Amino acid sequence: MTSPLRVPRTGLQSTASLQPGKLSTCGTTTGPLQKPVEQCLSSGVKRSRRCTRAGSVVEPHSALPSPCPREPLLCPDLHMDLQGYKWVRWRVWLCRVAALLSLGLLLLVFHWCPRLGVLTRCCSCPLALADILIIRDTFGRQHVVQVLTEEMEEGSLGSFAGLEDNEWRDTVQLQKEEKTLLRYYLFEGMRYIWLDRRGAFCRVSVLNEDWTCKDLYGFQKGLSALEQSSRGCMYGPNLIDVPVKPYLKLLFEEVLNPFYVFQVFSIILWMTDKYYYYATCIFLISIFSIIISLREIRKQSITLNNMARLVTTVTVRRSSGAEECVSSEDLVPGDCLIVPQEGLLLPCDAALLAGECLVNESMLTGESVPVLKTPLPAGEGRFSTETERRHTLFCGTQLIQAKGGRPGGGGAVAVVTSTGFFTAKGYLVSSIMYPQPTDFRFYQEVTKFLFILGFVAFLGTIYSFVVLFKTNSTWLELVIRCLDVVTIAVPPALPAAITTGTIYAQSRLKKQGIFCISPPRINICGKVSLFCFDKTGTLTEEGLDVWGVMEGGPAGFSELVPDPRLLLPGPMLSGLACCHTVTLLRGEPLGDPLELKMVESTGWTLQEPEGDGNKLDTEFGGHRVLARMSVVTVASGGHSALAFIKGSPEMVASLCRAETVPAQFSNKLRSFSTEGLRVLALAYKPVDVNTDFSKIKRSEVEKDMQFLGLLMMKNLVKPESDIRECNPPHCPVHAHLKFSLEDGGDQSSAEIIKQGLYQSGFNYHLAINGKSFAALCDHFPEYLPKVLLHATVFARMAPDQKTQLVKELQKINYRTGMCGDGANDCGALRAADVGVSLSEAEASVASPFTSKTSNISCVPLLIREGRCSLVTSFSLFRYMALYSLVQFCSVLILYTVRTNFSDWQFLFFDMFVVTALAIFMGNGGPSKELQACRPSASLLTLPILGSLFIHTCLIILGQLAAFFITTKEDWYVPLNSTVPGANNLPNMENTSVFALSGFQYIIMAVVVTKGFPHRKPIYNNRIFLCLLLVLFALMTWLVLYPGAYVCGKLQLYDFVDMDFKMLLVAVVALNFLICFVVELLIDGGILNCLRLLRGARESKKRYKRLKLLLSESPSWPPLNQTLSPTDNTVIDFS
């Protein structure tokens, strides 16, 4: 067994620097950045001498709250390249003429490829002069945005401060003939303004990125009307606006989709060829599909708009001291916000300066327990919502109660720090509206395969042209027939059909209480190879029970006291009753579950302070980085004061006088932790009652403390957290899923979970804490992938470290899942390929999946549904491809003899056979057990392409067999070749090919529908099975006893020779038998023998290569060795 990595506390902190012409994150500056920025603003005018042709977006170095960490996955515009373009009048007019002559086709091309439209009508120019920008984001996608201008009022820029009078006057003199304009653009809801001194467009949030806590207190007096107006012009309205497009615009955009453009082209072609019934049916289905699609799009937009948009009336303080009610749309950073006692739904991010607020943050985090917010400590340090989360009120959260900040004790005072899309809620809504592209091979290769079918259609077009040209067909018929081949070989419904399995899976998940806001992620669930879990509240019970208290001092520890009520009155009992953040709401205590249990166990009654009595005078809130919290209390009458501290045992002990800490401290702590107990330590010290507690610093309180003892709490593992359910014992060891545990609490408290967490072929496991993880990332990046390969427990991980862990796992090609309660896991949930938030909300913005079940039983269910959906998508893809190839072959055979299918024959195949089978094929559910192997996600593999090729050959052979059997009969009469197309129907050739191809559609549906191991067998899909039997019976009846009416309607030739009909049925049976056996052989891996010809290849998965490398390396892990990087930071493996 290997011990956890140990790293010293010392380390180096790296910062990124800003380089000209590149997109960088601004590092921490040595002085205030406000003055240069304001000077830049005055130069943001129509003319500029300092320009660059290609620019960048400059991103301020500012932290965000843990509900929305500033991650590239959430904020994909962190690293964007910009190119500026200016309209060229003669090019614009030339394109208008060309669009008119092409009947709008050129505009359609520009709509599909906006970048081409810009390059055609514009010329490149410096960013400072650009009218249009082409943005390339971090994912390589390109966007076209328009540069907007807004006139600034004279003197408004001066209200930002930092501008000298002569500098302002010179700027006005230079621009005497022109107006002062603010140049900006909007991208994914966020505003970027042009700053001349930086030579780049910057997020408008750069204006307040360097505010200190002292600066925020300076805003407490309020903004003047001029300041508010100028800031409003700069920052824009305080809205998270999700546009709800009108139906007409949605219809226009939907119709211009390449899928529907192709449909319109096909319908026109079929009408020209007199296929009226078929064209009308496809037209009606397309209209119905458009209506459903528009309704769903608008419904989703309205739902997201209702969730995101928040306009209310708030009270702000002006510089004159007066308070006025304004619309929340007019709020700007720096506004002094008055929070009423009854609370409100907050429309912005704000720093709390006076009073306390009880806040429900479930909308952002999924955490239903209200959080107590306390006033921001005044200081010179830079304000960050990440480090000051306990003092920050986030947009979209419900302020339940505010008190202690106004005269009379009611209400609170806060300063607005962010508005609109720059708030925590804004970033999350933006991530939903503009999600990162899905890097999933299946979706990428569907488009590539369409090009393969396009190539097949091209070959078929050449064949049709040659054959029809030899028969002296008219040019109109040549064009129609050749284009008709294209509409057959390239099925426009292919992308829509493969989503059927996902729709069924989403419906089944919803019935199980799992809601999905990103359906494409369901298929990705089928490829998950590693799952991370938060511990507290996810793997373990949310609530904690007090297990016992043990007082300690210089003489050692006392006997264990199981019930704190049995403690004698003294500092220990007082500390348990006072050192917490529990508050009262309408007489009911609210707060952290741990603290609620702790206070309840003392038997003390919590009351609001009124006059004399024990009262909380000063509180220093807890923080996951600080691992402690402290309070100062004043006793009855104000005669004495005590400071109490509570937190992790190691941290509390380090702040105590050494002589007060028992010698058995480490042994006791290890003993309790090994039993799976949550251990907290308490300490105290007397404080001078005459101290001004409103100005006392935390560092003064938390030093020279006297150790009091340990509080042990039991955090039971949920019964459903037996992850071995995901690893059936009969599965091969090497095929198991890997599970990792992310924990923000005690490292040793995770040991009980680790014991049964991950059983695989590895002969050792690594447990690592947050400090060691940070040291590995910063100073030993070459060892990090090797450690991650064997690490199963990650303890004391901060929220941003959880996110970084997920990303590092993805870098070594793990398809990573993350499951958490949403409180401190939002970044990791959004960064993971599959994020599951355990929340009671129906849909949370915290992650793509939200489960109402408060345990991890949803994870194996989600993986099983994902695998089922992925296999179903493959089956539907292959079926739609084979359907096109079956019809393609049939049409080419009939073209050879100058005939074709009739209107009703096409309609029968496409509507009553293929569409019905495709709809119900995906209705089969997942298998009950999670199997060892994962389904493939690649379409362009040897088994898939080989299967399609072999089945296509068998299809051609079957149809040719039917065709030649017919022509060899004595009673065969050749058709009249002087009559083209469907005009010579009915005929023998058409009927025989119709019979074989009709059966082949059904045969292919049976062959490609996969059951074991990831789906239930085909007989469990009863509707699909019944449909197969009905269609088999129907086709048999059409071949043997069609009847005069049906023959007339479908234009079939009624053969009188029953032996010939039975022979056709025998050919069908033989075709089915061969196809079925071939598919079984392919599933058995017969095509894999061809891979032996190319030799063994190294895996593309980095973690698989690492696993092979480490298995052959006797020197890993480097036990009892000291590794020293160039920065002299030491890491020790022991």
Side-chain angles (χ1 to χ4, degrees):
M1 182 174 178
T2 306
S3 300
L5 305 177
R6 296 198 300 271
V7 183
R9 295 180 183 178
T10 58
L12 299 179
Q13 182 175 355
S14 59
T15 57
S17 60
L18 181 63
Q19 300 179 7
K22 295 183 179 179
L23 177 60
S24 305
T25 301
C26 302
T28 304
T29 56
T30 56
L33 188 62
Q34 188 173 2
K35 181 175 179 179
V37 170
E38 312 310 344
Q39 292 173 355
C40 293
L41 290 177
S42 64
S43 302
V45 292
K46 195 171 181 180
R47 296 281 189 263
S48 175
R49 293 172 303 202
R50 296 161 51 89
C51 303
T52 54
R53 188 166 296 275
S56 61
V57 172
V58 180
E59 178 59 30
H61 179 72
S62 59
L64 282 179
S66 56
C68 182
R70 179 160 298 185
E71 298 293 341
L73 294 178
L74 292 185
C75 314
D77 49 311
L78 289 184
H79 299 280
M80 300 190 305
D81 294 327
L82 305 183
Q83 288 183 324
Y85 293 88
K86 197 171 185 65
W87 295 111
V88 179
R89 185 170 299 178
W90 67 267
R91 290 189 182 184
V92 173
W93 279 103
L94 186 63
C95 287
R96 289 175 179 173
V97 174
L100 187 63
L101 295 177
S102 63
L103 301 179
L105 182 61
L106 183 63
L107 296 180
L108 186 62
V109 173
F110 287 168
H111 176 76
W112 290 341
C113 185
R115 182 174 181 271
L116 179 62
V118 172
L119 296 178
T120 305
R121 294 176 287 188
C122 303
C123 66
S124 181
C125 72
L127 288 179
L129 304 177
D131 299 321
I132 297 291
L133 297 175
I134 294 182
I135 302 176
R136 181 185 294 272
D137 62 23
T138 187
F139 302 111
R141 298 176 299 182
Q142 292 187 335
H143 311 265
V144 175
V145 298
Q146 183 178 0
V147 176
L148 306 173
T149 59
E150 189 169 339
E151 184 178 352
M152 300 289 291
E153 297 180 10
E154 185 175 351
S156 61
L157 292 177
S159 65
F160 278 88
L163 285 176
E164 299 179 2
D165 292 339
N166 56 354
E167 185 175 9
W168 172 243
R169 285 196 295 268
D170 288 343
T171 304
V172 175
Q173 185 67 29
L174 288 172
Q175 303 299 332
K176 187 175 180 180
E177 301 297 328
E178 303 181 23
K179 298 177 181 178
T180 302
L181 299 178
L182 172 69
R183 295 171 52 78
Y184 68 96
Y185 70 87
L186 300 175
F187 180 66
E188 296 185 349
M190 301 179 187
R191 178 178 288 218
Y192 297 77
I193 59 174
W194 173 258
L195 298 182
D196 184 55
R197 284 188 179 272
R198 294 194 178 191
F201 284 93
C202 301
R203 287 189 176 190
V204 70
S205 58
V206 75
L207 303 180
N208 55 285
E209 65 170 344
D210 284 318
W211 283 354
T212 64
C213 298
K214 184 178 179 180
D215 292 332
L216 292 176
Y217 272 94
F219 289 119
Q220 197 170 5
K221 64 183 180 180
L223 299 177
S224 67
L226 180 60
E227 287 175 326
Q228 200 281 335
S229 175
S230 60
R231 289 173 184 268
C233 182
M234 198 68 61
Y235 287 96
N238 176 34
L239 282 176
I240 304 176
D241 192 20
V242 179
V244 180
K245 300 177 182 178
Y247 278 113
L248 188 61
K249 186 175 182 180
L250 286 174
L251 176 63
F252 180 77
E253 292 177 353
E254 192 75 8
V255 169
L256 293 184
N257 184 291
F259 165 76
Y260 287 112
V261 170
F262 187 75
Q263 287 282 53
V264 171
F265 164 77
S266 302
I267 290 172
I268 294 174
L269 180 67
W270 296 328
M271 294 291 284
T272 306
D273 202 24
K274 299 181 181 179
Y275 285 95
Y276 301 121
Y277 293 113
Y278 183 73
T280 302
C281 187
I282 296 297
F283 174 76
L284 293 176
I285 291 177
S286 298
I287 292 296
F288 178 76
S289 175
I290 289 175
I291 292 174
I292 296 297
S293 177
L294 295 187
R295 183 176 175 272
E296 190 64 27
I297 291 173
R298 187 171 170 86
K299 179 182 177 181
Q300 292 177 358
S301 298
I302 292 174
T303 301
L304 188 57
N305 179 272
N306 294 337
M307 181 192 72
R309 188 180 179 87
L310 173 59
V311 178
T312 185
T313 301
V314 295
T315 303
V316 296
R317 180 183 295 163
R318 293 300 177 209
S319 57
S320 61
E323 297 179 359
E324 62 177 82
C325 294
V326 299
S327 171
S328 59
E329 292 185 62
D330 300 327
L331 288 177
V332 295
D335 265 330
C336 183
L337 182 66
I338 306 300
V339 181
Q341 182 175 0
E342 64 275 12
L344 78 161
L345 187 60
L346 200 67
C348 61
D349 282 358
L352 185 61
L353 302 185
E356 294 179 346
C357 291
L358 194 62
V359 185
N360 183 353
E361 295 184 341
S362 61
M363 186 271 169
L364 290 180
T365 66
E367 177 60 59
S368 59
V369 178
V371 181
L372 182 66
K373 302 289 183 175
T374 55
L376 178 73
E380 297 292 341
R382 178 172 165 272
F383 173 77
S384 166
T385 51
E386 172 74 20
T387 57
E388 308 296 345
R389 187 187 173 205
R390 285 185 55 86
H391 316 296
T392 304
L393 307 174
F394 296 114
C395 177
T397 59
Q398 178 68 53
L399 274 62
I400 303 173
Q401 185 183 62
K403 62 181 180 180
R406 306 291 309 284
V413 178
V415 168
V416 178
T417 56
S418 300
T419 57
F421 276 94
F422 292 100
T423 61
K425 178 182 177 181
Y427 279 111
L428 287 175
V429 172
S430 179
S431 69
I432 295 174
M433 293 175 61
Y434 312 100
Q436 60 171 326
T438 304
D439 182 21
F440 195 48
R441 184 182 297 181
F442 175 74
Y443 297 124
Q444 296 170 350
E445 292 183 354
V446 167
T447 304
K448 295 180 181 178
F449 191 82
L450 286 176
F451 285 105
I452 296 177
L453 292 179
F455 178 72
V456 173
F458 176 72
L459 297 179
T461 300
I462 295 176
Y463 175 81
S464 301
F465 182 85
V466 172
V467 169
L468 294 175
F469 185 79
K470 287 183 178 180
T471 59
N472 298 320
S473 299
T474 64
W475 281 103
L476 178 62
E477 185 182 0
L478 279 173
V479 172
I480 291 177
R481 291 287 166 265
C482 290
L483 292 178
D484 194 28
V485 169
V486 176
T487 65
I488 292 172
V490 184
L494 178 59
I498 60 178
T499 63
T500 305
T502 304
I503 294 172
Y504 279 118
Q506 186 177 10
S507 176
R508 289 193 296 265
L509 287 172
K510 189 173 182 179
K511 293 178 182 178
Q512 297 288 336
I514 302 175
F515 302 91
C516 176
I517 62 174
S518 180
R521 299 268 180 172
I522 295 177
N523 278 348
I524 299 178
C525 294
K527 290 296 292 181
V528 169
S529 53
L530 183 147
F531 230 101
C532 301
F533 296 91
D534 177 49
K535 182 178 78 73
T536 306
T538 302
L539 292 176
T540 63
E541 297 289 350
E542 185 68 43
L544 293 167
D545 292 319
V546 174
W547 189 77
V549 179
M550 184 175 285
E551 295 185 89
F557 284 102
S558 66
E559 292 295 326
L560 178 70
V561 179
D563 188 352
R565 290 183 177 88
L566 302 178
L567 289 172
L568 296 176
M572 186 65 178
L573 186 60
S574 299
L576 292 173
C578 298
C579 196
H580 57 78
T581 59
V582 176
T583 187
L584 290 176
L585 176 64
R586 301 180 185 93
E588 293 295 326
L590 292 175
D592 185 90
L594 181 150
E595 294 182 334
L596 286 171
K597 285 288 185 180
M598 183 183 72
V599 174
E600 180 185 347
S601 69
T602 64
W604 287 33
T605 303
L606 185 66
Q607 296 178 350
E608 292 288 353
E610 295 179 3
D612 293 335
N614 271 18
K615 63 177 182 179
L616 183 67
D617 205 342
T618 300
E619 174 189 327
F620 298 101
H623 194 279
R624 299 188 78 87
V625 177
L626 300 177
R628 65 188 186 274
M629 73 159 293
S630 55
V631 296
V632 178
T633 62
V634 179
S636 176
H639 300 298
S640 63
L642 295 176
F644 293 97
I645 183 172
K646 174 184 94 249
S648 70
E650 300 93 337
M651 177 58 69
V652 171
S654 68
L655 299 173
C656 294
R657 300 196 309 273
E659 65 272 14
T660 66
V661 180
Q664 307 91 346
F665 172 80
S666 298
N667 292 333
K668 285 290 184 182
L669 176 61
R670 185 179 300 109
S671 173
F672 289 135
S673 298
T674 303
E675 295 180 31
L677 299 175
R678 176 75 180 271
V679 185
L680 296 175
L682 288 92
Y684 88 109
K685 75 175 181 181
V687 181
D688 186 359
V689 73
N690 297 319
T691 304
D692 186 356
F693 296 126
S694 63
K695 296 182 179 179
I696 192 172
K697 294 183 178 179
R698 184 170 198 156
S699 58
E700 297 178 7
V701 174
E702 297 175 344
K703 69 177 182 180
D704 298 330
M705 306 291 286
Q706 180 177 338
F707 188 81
L708 283 175
L710 300 176
L711 168 68
M712 283 69 69
M713 308 192 79
K714 191 76 171 180
N715 187 207
L716 299 175
V717 178
K718 296 178 181 179
E720 299 84 1
S721 295
D722 184 3
I723 308 178
R724 285 171 292 186
E725 176 189 346
C726 302
N727 285 347
H730 63 271
C731 298
V733 170
H734 68 274
H736 285 182
L737 280 171
K738 179 179 177 182
F739 295 92
S740 291
L741 168 68
E742 295 180 1
D743 176 37
D746 294 328
Q747 177 178 349
S748 52
S749 67
E751 290 296 323
I752 189 173
I753 299 175
K754 191 192 73 172
Q755 294 172 6
L757 179 67
Y758 168 45
Q759 302 175 358
S760 72
F762 293 146
N763 55 4
Y764 66 92
H765 301 271
L766 294 177
I768 184 172
N769 61 18
K771 289 182 179 179
S772 300
F773 180 76
L776 278 172
C777 294
D778 293 339
H779 310 298
F780 297 88
E782 67 275 15
Y783 291 103
L784 182 60
K786 298 178 182 178
V787 172
L788 293 179
L789 198 64
H790 290 269
T792 53
V793 177
F794 298 84
R796 293 182 182 172
M797 298 286 282
D800 58 331
Q801 288 180 321
K802 293 182 181 182
T803 305
Q804 187 176 3
L805 171 62
V806 169
K807 291 183 177 181
E808 294 296 336
L809 290 169
Q810 290 172 329
K811 286 180 182 178
I812 58 176
N813 303 126
Y814 276 118
R815 187 67 70 178
T816 308
M818 172 67 193
C819 180
D821 56 11
N824 295 297
D825 315 311
C826 292
L829 289 170
R830 297 297 301 180
D833 297 294
V834 177
V836 186
S837 174
L838 306 183
S839 172
E840 295 181 0
E842 181 170 320
S844 169
V845 296
S847 65
F849 296 93
T850 303
S851 173
K852 283 189 174 182
T853 307
S854 60
N855 56 64
I856 66 168
S857 61
C858 61
V859 172
L861 173 62
L862 190 59
I863 295 176
R864 287 191 289 111
E865 283 289 0
R867 292 181 176 183
C868 173
S869 174
L870 185 58
V871 171
T872 302
S873 297
F874 266 80
S875 297
L876 285 164
F877 168 82
R878 293 176 61 201
Y879 181 65
M880 294 302 294
L882 287 170
Y883 144 68
S884 297
L885 293 172
V886 168
Q887 198 165 92
F888 177 76
C889 297
S890 304
V891 168
L892 290 185
I893 292 173
L894 295 179
Y895 276 6
T896 306
V897 292
R898 292 205 69 184
T899 188
N900 199 357
F901 288 129
S902 70
D903 194 353
W904 280 98
Q905 287 173 355
F906 273 122
L907 192 62
F908 173 76
F909 285 152
D910 289 1
M911 295 296 104
F912 297 99
V913 179
V914 174
T915 300
L917 289 173
I919 289 175
F920 294 105
M921 184 185 294
N923 196 27
S927 59
K928 294 183 178 180
E929 292 186 353
L930 192 60
Q931 302 299 321
C933 58
R934 289 177 294 151
S936 171
S938 177
L939 291 172
L940 306 181
T941 59
L942 186 61
I944 298 296
L945 296 179
S947 172
L948 290 176
F949 177 75
I950 294 174
H951 286 310
T952 302
C953 293
L954 294 175
I955 287 168
I956 295 174
L957 290 176
Q959 293 184 11
L960 288 177
F963 178 82
F964 287 117
I965 288 175
T966 304
T967 59
K968 296 300 181 180
E969 292 293 337
D970 297 334
W971 39 258
Y972 168 71
V973 178
L975 57 80
N976 183 6
S977 59
T978 60
V979 181
N983 294 327
N984 54 21
L985 293 178
N987 58 66
M988 299 181 180
E989 295 87 346
N990 165 274
T991 303
S992 60
V993 173
F994 171 86
L996 254 295
S997 60
F999 275 110
Q1000 285 174 340
Y1001 293 128
I1002 307 171
I1003 291 171
M1004 290 301 108
V1006 176
V1007 167
V1008 303
T1009 301
K1010 301 295 181 183
F1012 182 83
H1014 303 298
R1015 292 182 65 193
K1016 292 180 179 178
I1018 191 173
Y1019 55 78
N1020 282 278
N1021 189 352
R1022 297 176 182 176
I1023 298 178
F1024 181 65
L1025 184 62
C1026 292
L1027 182 63
L1028 286 174
L1029 296 176
V1030 169
L1031 290 177
F1032 263 120
L1034 180 61
M1035 283 303 305
T1036 304
W1037 173 66
L1038 288 177
V1039 172
L1040 298 179
Y1041 306 102
Y1045 175 79
V1046 174
C1047 285
K1049 198 67 177 178
L1050 293 178
Q1051 294 183 275
L1052 296 174
Y1053 187 88
D1054 189 7
F1055 295 105
V1056 295
D1057 189 347
M1058 182 57 67
D1059 293 338
F1060 171 76
K1061 295 179 182 181
M1062 295 301 297
L1063 183 59
L1064 285 180
V1065 174
V1067 172
V1068 169
L1070 181 63
N1071 196 346
F1072 173 72
L1073 179 63
I1074 295 175
C1075 288
F1076 190 79
V1077 171
V1078 166
E1079 187 66 20
L1080 289 178
L1081 293 175
I1082 293 174
D1083 288 342
I1086 191 172
L1087 293 181
N1088 292 333
C1089 62
L1090 298 178
R1091 294 178 177 174
L1092 299 176
L1093 301 176
R1094 71 180 187 187
R1097 287 187 179 183
E1098 191 177 38
S1099 174
K1100 295 180 180 179
K1101 303 289 186 182
R1102 189 181 173 192
Y1103 73 87
K1104 291 184 178 180
R1105 300 198 303 268
L1106 273 174
K1107 188 182 297 184
L1108 180 63
L1109 178 66
L1110 296 183
S1111 65
E1112 300 173 352
S1113 175
S1115 61
W1116 182 265
L1119 300 178
N1120 302 316
Q1121 299 180 32
T1122 300
L1123 307 177
S1124 302
T1126 55
D1127 58 9
N1128 296 323
T1129 302
V1130 177
I1131 185 168
D1132 180 38
F1133 291 81
S1134 60

